[in-house]
Amino acid sequence: MEVRFLQLGLGLLLLLATQDAPAVAVPGPKCQRQCGGVDIQYPFGIGDNCSLSAYFKASCQEVQRGVYKPFYSDLELLNISLINGTIKGLNYISTECYNQSAGSMGGTTCAHKLGLSTWSFDARGTPFRFSDVHNKFTIIGCSTLAYIYDSTVKGYLTGCVSTCQNLTDLTNGTCSGMGCCQTEIPKGMGYYNVSFDSNFNTSQIWNFSRCSYAVLMEAEAFNFSTTYISTTEFNDTNSGRVPVVMDWAIRNETISLSCDEAKLNKTGTYACLSSKSGCVDSRDGAGYLCNCSEGYEGNPYLPGGCQDVDECSSSPCPSGGVCHNTEGGYRCPCRAGWKFNKQRNTCDPDTGLIMGVTIGFLVLVIFSSFGYMILQKRKLNQVKQEHFREHGGMILFERMRSEKGFAFSVFSEAELIQATNNYDKSRIIGKGGHGTVYKGVVKGNMTVAIKRCALIDERQKKEFGQEMLILSQINHKNIVKLVGCCLEVEVPMLVYEFIPNGTLFELIHDKNQALQISFSSLLRIAHEAAEGLNFLHSYASPPIIHGDVKTANILLDENYLAKVSDFGASILAPSDKEQYVTMVQGTCGYLDPEYMLTCQLTEKSDVFSFGVILLEVLTGQEPLKLDGPEMQRSLSSNFLSAMKENNLDAILPSHVKGQESNELIRGLAELAKQCLDMCGINRPSMKEIADELGRLRKLSLHPWAQLDVEMETQSMLGGASTTSFETEGATSGYPTQEGENLPMNPRSSYYAR
């Protein structure tokens, strides 16, 4: 086994061992104070007359082209700490490696030692000692026993053993004897040597653990990795060097004075030159260190090196104290309202003064808060009153006062907030362009639908109360009842009766239900919706134009009776023909093309939209398909094109063609075609549509039901004439035709399409 011992000193030690105690020197202004990013602080220095003595002299060496590093002899310096009295440098790693031999004996493959490299360190007679606090003797290997010893004066010897059988047994970050071992060193050690025990080697496990390592190093800088066993990664770091920490003090081989002895020394070698500094004994052997006095910081080894610390920058005063920086300290006089407590050295509140001020302040705050709340409440009431008057609330109240049986309620905002649990999201039953609808329960445990309108134009604001009077009197079995409103908000809220079973749109286009609904049921619902619109156009005074007729606004009650909804967003028919609607009404797919050109909303605009509803009933298709080919997106355009080409069957579903008579289908198609006429004057009225749908419904009845229908018709013709709207308290609804197949699962309806 080849053994190489590198006996390296920390800097001209043999030459310096015979010198006398160093005289205190002060570095010149040209001395280099930094090298390779490391501050070289006095008493250390680079160059002649730049350090306290030759023991503290360092050098700045070029390690590669243009790259300089600080060295103390062969030890590369990483940092110097004056406060802790330490230096950190790079220490060499001792290694022992094996490899497979070129031949074998007796069929057994042999391992061949590649080499041994050990490192010894001698700091005797210098200011330096290996730190027992920061360093540990560390070995790495799978069959390794290494020793660290001082065979000179102390006779110190200790070792550490590390074993392992498989790499899988090792754990990253753990150094407890498997693959890695660490042991502490004694205080005051200035020399050490390393050796490996020849009885422990890696010759049997060279195939996965070729090398063993031993080094004295900074414990905090080491974290074991299992790759250190199977590779040379550990030895490759910093050219086989790792950090080691050394304690230093003002001492040498000939003179090692304690702090008190150094102060009394008459030779002028006391190193603490700053007038604001003092000394402390070294914790690692003889000698001392210099520290700046309390309240000062800097370099205590230089005259004037300790400067006053601005303690006030770190807010050291107790609560209530005002910090004033002084030379070497600070003062904390208590501010106004506080008293200094000598016993606890704290600022305590002046309770008498504070109580008086606090009570006065609380009284002022309470009165101010009450005044502000009263003022804000008055302002809020004024705003609510203004909204109420602006929306015609006074007209409604006068009418309600004059007609005690007037079945209409004006709700307060607080009532509707309570009814909807402050407009909780779980109460939402519909959203649309005109607003959001919530399900609520108002006084009397009546379930209602509360619509928060999104917007309202100026004309509607002025006429809102009058329109509410008209709409509140609508009492028709096929129109959703408007039971009240709230006028004390910026945009009025409408309160409708609650309709539970969804919409005609869902009934037609829900894939799960569409096949379960008979065509006659859909035809009945369409007929009932036409009756409701006919009432708005013909019997309301003045007539009401719905403006947004679509299947989503035809609701279904518990008996699946059609109810036209959302007429609260409608307008009264203008008496002046020059009035125009400047804001687009309706929904894409249902919009009257004539209205798009003239911006004039008429009863015939509702007729066009109802024509699209008839197409949905007839074809089961949605009015607009945005994902289809551009020429086939509009249902009305496709229908008119098919009618023109006499190819109606192309757009009809198979179940309609197979179940209904050609006369019924052709009659319904002709009616839809008339409703979709581009010229509004050529379209039929809603009364004519309702009458025609009534006639067509008779065609959809079974033969055995025809007799009952004819008898009912004769009875109606022979009796007194009736209108198609309900009187107060009348029962609602056409009876469900026998044979109709309606879904039985009620769902919430959508009012805000």
Side-chain angles (χ1 to χ4, degrees):
M1 178 185 300
E2 180 183 356
V3 180
R4 293 188 296 115
F5 292 94
L6 302 178
Q7 303 289 343
L8 301 178
L10 290 178
L12 307 177
L13 300 181
L14 295 177
L15 294 176
L16 296 171
T18 58
Q19 293 184 2
D20 294 333
V24 175
V26 177
K30 295 183 179 181
C31 291
Q32 184 176 345
R33 290 180 169 83
Q34 194 177 70
C35 178
V38 178
D39 292 329
I40 309 300
Q41 303 179 79
Y42 190 80
F44 294 85
I46 297 175
D48 296 334
N49 300 320
C50 290
S51 59
L52 179 65
S53 68
Y55 290 111
F56 294 96
K57 183 178 180 180
S59 62
C60 190
Q61 302 177 19
E62 186 175 20
V63 295
Q64 61 185 50
R65 186 176 183 86
V67 179
Y68 290 84
K69 297 286 184 179
F71 283 85
Y72 192 89
S73 186
D74 289 336
L75 184 72
E76 181 182 333
L77 296 177
L78 299 179
N79 87 12
I80 298 171
S81 173
L82 299 184
I83 295 176
N84 298 322
T86 60
I87 63 169
K88 184 187 291 188
L90 291 177
N91 192 14
Y92 285 92
I93 302 170
S94 299
T95 63
E96 183 180 50
C97 292
Y98 287 80
N99 197 358
Q100 181 180 359
S101 63
S104 61
M105 298 179 63
T108 302
T109 302
C110 298
H112 173 66
K113 181 180 289 188
L114 292 178
L116 173 68
S117 173
T118 61
W119 169 257
S120 61
F121 222 82
D122 193 349
R124 291 168 296 179
T126 72
F128 302 96
R129 302 287 185 270
F130 294 101
S131 173
D132 61 301
V133 174
H134 298 94
N135 300 318
K136 285 187 178 181
F137 181 53
T138 302
I139 70 166
I140 295 173
C142 274
S143 181
T144 305
L145 171 58
Y147 302 100
I148 181 172
Y149 57 91
D150 180 357
S151 59
T152 57
V153 178
K154 292 181 176 294
Y156 166 74
L157 170 67
T158 190
C160 203
V161 64
S162 170
T163 62
C164 59
Q165 297 297 323
N166 298 291
L167 289 176
T168 56
D169 298 334
L170 307 180
T171 304
N172 287 327
T174 301
C175 189
S176 57
M178 292 186 64
C180 174
C181 179
Q182 285 184 319
T183 187
E184 297 179 347
I185 62 171
K187 186 188 297 291
M189 191 170 77
Y191 166 83
Y192 81 88
N193 206 339
V194 173
S195 67
F196 291 95
D197 193 315
S198 60
N199 294 320
F200 284 77
N201 59 63
T202 59
S203 61
Q204 302 301 319
I205 52 174
W206 60 268
N207 55 336
F208 72 88
S209 177
R210 296 181 53 233
C211 295
S212 297
Y213 306 103
V215 65
L216 182 64
M217 66 176 296
E218 182 185 18
E220 191 176 84
F222 177 72
N223 186 36
F224 176 67
S225 171
T226 57
T227 57
Y228 294 163
I229 298 296
S230 57
T231 67
T232 59
E233 180 181 339
F234 183 67
N235 200 40
D236 292 341
T237 305
N238 290 313
S239 301
R241 297 175 298 171
V242 290
V244 65
V245 179
M246 302 191 74
D247 296 326
W248 60 270
I250 305 301
R251 61 188 168 208
N252 59 38
E253 185 178 37
T254 57
I255 299 178
S256 295
L257 302 177
S258 67
C259 175
D260 292 337
E261 292 171 342
K263 289 179 182 179
L264 299 174
N265 188 23
K266 305 298 184 181
T267 61
T269 57
Y270 184 53
C272 304
L273 300 184
S274 174
S275 60
K276 305 299 181 182
S277 67
C279 63
V280 293
D281 287 328
S282 170
R283 62 162 301 279
D284 195 357
Y288 64 93
L289 294 170
C290 298
N291 285 330
C292 289
S293 303
E294 185 177 359
Y296 294 86
E297 62 183 3
N299 192 330
Y301 299 96
L302 294 174
C306 293
Q307 303 296 322
D308 177 54
V309 176
D310 183 8
E311 290 87 356
C312 292
S313 61
S314 59
S315 303
C317 292
S319 178
V322 180
C323 185
H324 295 281
N325 188 55
T326 61
E327 184 70 20
Y330 61 95
R331 294 186 300 106
C332 291
C334 298
R335 60 176 180 263
W338 297 76
K339 290 182 178 180
F340 184 72
N341 189 320
K342 293 183 178 180
Q343 294 178 346
R344 295 185 297 180
N345 192 32
T346 59
C347 289
D348 296 334
D350 187 346
T351 54
L353 177 63
I354 291 178
M355 284 182 64
V357 173
T358 302
I359 292 173
F361 178 74
L362 288 176
V363 171
L364 179 62
V365 169
I366 290 171
F367 276 103
S368 299
S369 299
F370 273 117
Y372 180 77
M373 290 171 61
I374 292 171
L375 181 61
Q376 290 299 108
K377 191 172 183 179
R378 286 180 179 176
K379 286 184 178 180
L380 181 60
N381 288 335
Q382 289 175 358
V383 171
K384 289 183 177 181
Q385 291 173 10
E386 181 63 29
H387 287 320
F388 190 82
R389 286 192 296 269
E390 183 182 22
H391 300 318
M394 299 309 297
I395 299 174
L396 281 174
F397 266 137
E398 287 297 326
R399 181 64 175 273
M400 293 169 67
R401 189 180 296 114
S402 62
E403 298 183 20
K404 294 184 179 180
F406 188 55
F408 190 78
S409 299
V410 177
F411 296 94
S412 68
E413 183 182 16
E415 286 179 301
L416 298 189
I417 289 175
Q418 182 179 2
T420 59
N421 193 21
N422 197 21
Y423 306 109
D424 191 87
K425 290 183 179 180
S426 63
R427 297 291 187 93
I428 295 176
I429 57 176
K431 281 187 177 182
H434 292 145
T436 304
V437 181
Y438 298 83
K439 182 180 179 181
V441 179
V442 295
K443 53 190 176 183
N445 291 326
M446 180 172 63
T447 303
V448 294
I450 300 168
K451 178 175 180 180
R452 297 182 76 184
C453 300
L455 47 85
I456 185 172
D457 60 33
E458 291 300 320
R459 184 190 68 81
Q460 285 179 295
K461 279 186 179 182
K462 296 176 182 178
E463 302 175 2
F464 193 85
Q466 183 65 34
E467 293 188 11
M468 288 299 100
L469 277 175
I470 296 169
L471 295 175
S472 66
Q473 298 178 73
I474 295 175
N475 189 22
H476 190 275
K477 64 180 178 292
N478 298 125
I479 297 177
V480 175
K481 179 68 176 175
L482 182 66
V483 298
C485 65
C486 176
L487 303 177
E488 61 183 31
V489 289
E490 182 177 4
V491 179
M493 290 185 282
L494 307 175
V495 181
Y496 296 96
E497 64 173 320
F498 180 72
I499 309 298
N501 273 345
T503 67
L504 178 57
F505 182 89
E506 296 167 339
L507 206 60
I508 295 174
H509 301 296
D510 191 317
K511 293 181 180 179
N512 295 327
Q513 289 190 1
L515 297 179
Q516 303 175 13
I517 304 164
S518 66
F519 187 78
S520 61
S521 298
L522 296 178
L523 189 58
R524 173 184 60 79
I525 294 171
H527 182 206
E528 292 168 354
E531 291 285 3
L533 291 171
N534 176 37
F535 177 84
L536 293 177
H537 289 183
S538 304
Y539 296 98
S541 180
I544 297 173
I545 302 171
H546 189 285
D548 195 15
V549 175
K550 56 183 177 180
T551 51
N553 280 336
I554 299 174
L555 308 183
L556 305 172
D557 71 2
E558 60 275 4
N559 297 318
Y560 284 86
L561 180 74
K563 297 268 190 178
V564 177
S565 73
D566 208 20
F567 57 87
S570 310
I571 67 167
L572 304 181
S575 57
D576 183 356
K577 296 301 181 182
E578 297 301 320
Q579 293 184 23
Y580 293 91
V581 180
T582 57
M583 184 170 56
V584 174
Q585 302 282 332
T587 303
C588 291
Y590 298 90
L591 280 172
D592 176 10
E594 188 175 60
Y595 163 69
M596 298 298 292
L597 293 174
T598 64
C599 288
Q600 190 170 14
L601 199 65
T602 67
E603 294 94 335
K604 297 301 180 72
S605 300
D606 286 350
V607 170
F608 183 92
S609 300
F610 191 81
V612 179
I613 291 178
L614 293 179
L615 291 186
E616 290 184 74
V617 171
L618 190 61
T619 66
Q621 299 180 31
E622 294 188 23
L624 199 63
K625 295 181 180 179
L626 297 178
D627 56 348
E630 186 174 354
M631 299 301 295
Q632 299 179 10
R633 290 181 180 177
S634 171
L635 176 59
S636 58
S637 296
N638 291 342
F639 168 75
L640 292 174
S641 177
M643 289 292 287
K644 184 177 180 180
E645 297 172 1
N646 196 23
N647 189 22
L648 181 61
D649 287 349
I651 62 171
L652 293 178
S654 58
H655 69 276
V656 173
K657 291 186 289 185
Q659 293 178 8
E660 303 300 332
S661 66
N662 289 333
E663 182 181 358
L664 171 61
I665 295 173
R666 178 57 61 178
L668 195 59
E670 286 296 333
L671 180 59
K673 179 181 178 183
Q674 293 174 32
C675 293
L676 297 174
D677 195 293
M678 292 298 170
C679 183
I681 197 171
N682 295 332
R683 300 169 193 162
S685 66
M686 285 308 304
K687 184 178 187 310
E688 293 171 334
I689 295 171
D691 291 343
E692 178 63 13
L693 286 174
R695 186 189 71 82
L696 291 174
R697 283 188 63 202
K698 297 175 184 179
L699 298 178
S700 70
L701 298 178
H702 295 288
W704 53 266
Q706 290 284 357
L707 181 59
D708 292 338
V709 174
E710 291 173 1
M711 291 177 64
E712 180 184 348
T713 304
Q714 291 173 4
S715 175
M716 292 176 63
L717 292 174
S721 62
T722 60
T723 61
S724 60
F725 62 92
E726 285 184 315
T727 59
E728 189 73 41
T731 57
S732 63
Y734 287 100
T736 303
Q737 296 178 12
E738 191 168 347
E740 285 188 0
N741 184 14
L742 290 172
M744 298 307 293
N745 296 323
R747 296 173 297 165
S748 297
S749 57
Y750 294 90
Y751 296 76
R753 297 287 177 175

